[in-house]
Amino acid sequence: AIWHIRQKCHVTDDEFIQTVRKSGYRLLKAPIILKSESPLLALEMKKSPLNNKQFIWGISLILLIVVAVVSQSFNFEKSSSVPTEITLLTSDPGRETYPAISPDSSKMVYYWKHLNQNPNLYMKDLKQPSLEPIQLTFDDDREYRPVWGKSANKMYFVQKTWNKDRCSIIELDLKSKTQNTLAKCSPNVTPALAISNDGKTLAFNGDSVGIYLLDLVNPNSEPVRYSCNDNCGYTDRDIVFSNDDSKFAITRRSQPFEEDIYIVDRITGNSKQVTMGQRDIHGMAWHPTANKLVYSAEMSDVRNGFVLDLDTNKITSLNVPGLSYPQFIGKTSQIAFHDWYIKEFISSLDISEENLSVPFPIVSSDFMHNQVHVSENDQSLTYISNESGQKEIWRADWNGTKRVQLTHLRS
């Protein structure tokens, strides 16, 4: 895959491969013959296979076991053979996403969408999990990315209307349940929100796409744009603060189908790219006691969790399909995350009036299957699946048997 080639070439800040939109790729450097293999180019690239274990909707707890290995460039490896322990924190009907753990690790706020009801923010007592969650917001809007303030009395979140005509950054007083609008944001982009560890600065994706910073100490302060504004060649999409607040981890998209993580020094403004060729990134968390990031990335419609060692640039897959928007619990190596693992399958349904039936699965597995087309001439199906690890076109007989991969696009 081109991602693997870029990984091997990217040992300096030079760009070797350029993406030509709708055409392919262009080599920017003239190739040279090496007499001996350079240790910086001889990287072992291992692609982690999909874990076939199925997960249900919910927010879970995972124990991270991180092993540091010295490396000089981007190095992707499989996860440790030590088994990962996962504990389900919520199992109520509906969709529960965006977990936010309180500073004392005793409570969790999250977005909960009930069936046929408006979604709102709820707070769960992690010390007394048998208690019913407490509803925090009562409106017709959608709430995203809640974060706790320095104290346990304030929360901040992104609020959007369903028709996407308004987006606001909201401050919530947990005692009085009153809300205060702090700033506007763009309703048409993926929401981003983070708070510094000293509780003094709020960072968010603003009214114009890009990262803005807001001083929470001065009540009269206005958001200040941090991201590049004109002729940038990229857009900043998400952000998280380092433990000492001296750095940012920012996701940037310079091409339509690539999003990567950059580490930015807040004083000098210098940035360093630490991932290469990622697709969509769904949340980051900075380890509370180590120079490591945990992040979620989506490849071929499957999200997974990764650990990035910022000292060695080694990336380790956690092999947890669906892991999204991780957040560390206190000073431990445990993270809360929401599980976004949707099983898609092809089924048939008899819609004749004289026959009452239910959908019958034709092609069903732990992989994605969608965009099905039925050929009546040869009684076959064509569809898109990630069974090979990449999204490809497949063919099967009308009953789902004799599956054959037709393309090798590695998309």
Side-chain angles (χ1 to χ4, degrees):
I2 197 68
W3 180 80
H4 290 163
I5 299 175
R6 276 180 164 154
Q7 291 274 59
K8 288 181 177 288
C9 291
H10 196 88
V11 295
T12 68
D13 291 333
D14 294 335
E15 185 179 6
F16 287 83
I17 300 174
Q18 181 184 51
T19 300
V20 181
R21 184 172 176 82
K22 296 184 178 180
S23 297
Y25 302 92
R26 180 186 296 121
L27 187 64
L28 300 179
K29 303 288 184 180
I32 59 175
I33 300 175
L34 299 177
K35 294 182 178 180
S36 61
E37 199 174 38
S38 168
L40 294 182
L41 297 178
L43 300 180
E44 183 180 9
M45 308 298 298
K46 299 180 180 179
K47 181 177 179 183
S48 181
L50 290 175
N51 188 336
N52 288 332
K53 182 178 180 181
Q54 298 180 20
F55 294 86
I56 63 175
W57 283 105
I59 300 174
S60 303
L61 187 68
I62 176 175
L63 177 62
L64 297 181
I65 303 172
V66 181
V67 180
V69 176
V70 177
S71 175
Q72 295 295 324
S73 187
F74 298 109
N75 190 6
F76 179 79
E77 294 190 356
K78 297 180 181 180
S79 63
S80 167
S81 60
V82 179
T84 300
E85 181 181 350
I86 299 178
T87 304
L88 196 64
L89 295 183
T90 67
S91 58
D92 294 307
R95 179 179 300 173
E96 299 140 330
T97 58
Y98 304 119
I101 307 299
S102 63
D104 63 359
S105 306
S106 65
K107 294 179 174 60
M108 177 178 68
V109 171
Y110 59 98
Y111 167 105
W112 185 8
K113 173 67 171 71
H114 298 254
L115 184 64
N116 299 323
Q117 296 183 34
N118 290 324
N120 278 289
L121 293 182
Y122 288 78
M123 182 168 63
K124 184 178 182 65
D125 192 326
L126 297 179
K127 302 298 183 183
Q128 303 179 78
S130 60
L131 297 179
E132 289 294 318
I134 299 173
Q135 186 171 346
L136 300 179
T137 58
F138 303 82
D139 53 57
D140 297 332
D141 298 326
R142 293 185 293 177
E143 286 78 23
Y144 300 84
R145 306 294 296 272
V147 296
W148 289 79
K150 184 65 175 178
S151 68
N153 298 324
K154 294 286 182 68
M155 289 213 70
Y156 305 89
F157 59 89
V158 179
Q159 185 180 74
K160 291 185 180 183
T161 56
W162 285 92
N163 57 7
K164 295 185 178 181
D165 62 354
R166 174 176 52 81
C167 178
S168 304
I169 306 299
I170 303 296
E171 178 186 63
L172 172 65
D173 188 304
L174 292 176
K175 289 186 177 180
S176 63
K177 301 295 192 297
T178 57
Q179 298 183 14
N180 178 34
T181 301
L182 299 180
K184 294 181 179 180
C185 48
S186 175
N188 297 313
V189 300
T190 302
L193 188 65
I195 191 169
S196 59
N197 290 280
D198 61 12
K200 297 179 179 180
T201 305
L202 199 65
F204 56 93
N205 209 326
D207 192 22
S208 176
V209 180
I211 301 300
Y212 286 74
L213 303 178
L214 179 64
D215 184 356
L216 295 177
V217 177
N218 181 3
N220 298 318
S221 64
E222 295 290 332
V224 176
R225 185 177 178 89
Y226 173 81
S227 297
C228 172
N229 200 24
D230 297 313
N231 301 318
C232 308
Y234 63 85
T235 55
D236 291 339
R237 295 167 56 85
D238 202 355
I239 185 171
V240 67
F241 291 81
S242 64
N243 301 322
D244 60 1
D245 294 328
S246 66
K247 297 182 180 66
F248 297 131
I250 291 180
T251 67
R252 287 178 176 167
R253 176 160 286 175
S254 57
Q255 301 182 46
F257 302 107
E258 289 188 10
E259 182 177 8
D260 283 296
I261 300 174
Y262 291 73
I263 303 300
V264 182
D265 189 298
R266 293 184 66 183
I267 297 177
T268 65
N270 295 332
S271 64
K272 176 185 177 183
Q273 185 176 355
V274 291
T275 66
M276 175 65 69
Q278 299 290 313
R279 290 292 180 93
D280 296 309
I281 294 176
H282 299 280
M284 302 177 290
W286 206 298
H287 195 289
T289 59
N291 197 27
K292 296 178 174 66
L293 278 177
V294 173
Y295 67 95
S296 167
E298 181 176 334
M299 296 291 289
S300 300
D301 289 341
V302 177
R303 299 184 188 183
N304 209 330
F306 300 90
V307 179
L308 169 61
D309 189 320
L310 297 174
D311 294 327
T312 65
N313 283 339
K314 175 188 172 184
I315 300 174
T316 305
S317 172
L318 292 173
N319 281 334
V320 182
L323 188 149
S324 307
Y325 295 98
Q327 186 178 103
F328 280 95
I329 300 177
K331 299 296 183 181
T332 70
S333 289
Q334 295 177 321
I335 60 170
F337 66 95
H338 77 245
D339 179 13
W340 191 274
Y341 186 70
I342 304 175
K343 185 176 181 180
E344 298 176 299
F345 59 92
I346 299 172
S347 62
S348 65
L349 177 64
D350 188 345
I351 59 175
S352 60
E353 295 183 357
E354 60 272 13
N355 293 320
L356 296 177
S357 63
V358 296
F360 181 82
I362 298 177
V363 181
S364 179
S365 70
D366 290 333
F367 302 102
M368 171 269 289
H369 312 85
N370 58 30
Q371 300 185 39
V372 61
H373 176 76
V374 179
S375 173
E376 295 183 0
N377 293 331
D378 60 1
Q379 295 291 298
S380 66
L381 311 171
T382 56
Y383 58 94
I384 294 178
S385 175
N386 60 359
E387 185 173 346
S388 66
Q390 306 287 339
K391 287 192 290 185
E392 304 286 355
I393 299 176
W394 288 68
R395 179 197 176 278
D397 285 353
W398 66 270
N399 58 1
T401 61
K402 298 181 180 179
R403 298 195 308 275
V404 177
Q405 182 178 336
L406 301 180
T407 63
H408 296 82
L409 303 175
R410 301 184 67 82
S411 62

